[in-house]
Amino acid sequence: MLASIRGRKVLLGDRGEPPVDREAPARMLLRIARLAELLPEVAELDVNPVRAWPEGRGVAVLDARVLLRRQSP
């Protein structure tokens, strides 16, 4: 999935930067999927942008938006 995004060149080390830790964004996506599985009241989750660093330094979500489903009374 990560290989298909428009910014894949940046992940691989573009513009003189080292490649990012590609396992860290993959782990983040799996955790978000697990969150959606555990919390069915989450209708939408938008994380953008996400910053990834070189090996061992992980990722950070710089902005996020979560929309919850209304619960019936």
Side-chain angles (χ1 to χ4, degrees), residues 45-65:
L45 176 62
D46 178 31
V47 293
N48 186 23
V50 174
R51 173 71 164 103
W53 285 278
E55 193 66 39
R57 296 200 46 218
V59 295
V61 172
L62 303 179
D63 189 29
R65 182 176 67 108

Side-chain angles (χ1 to χ4, degrees), residues 13-63:
D14 195 33
R15 303 179 194 152
E17 294 291 323
V20 301
D21 178 358
R22 291 188 357 194
E23 292 296 318
R27 284 190 306 271
M28 180 197 69
L29 290 173
L30 290 171
R31 287 178 177 172
I32 289 172
R34 182 72 174 138
L35 177 77
E37 183 181 7
L38 293 173
L39 299 172
E41 62 265 28
V42 174
E44 293 180 33
L45 176 62
D46 178 31
V47 293
N48 186 23
V50 174
R51 173 71 164 103
W53 285 278
E55 193 66 39
R57 296 200 46 218
V59 295
V61 172
L62 303 179
D63 189 29

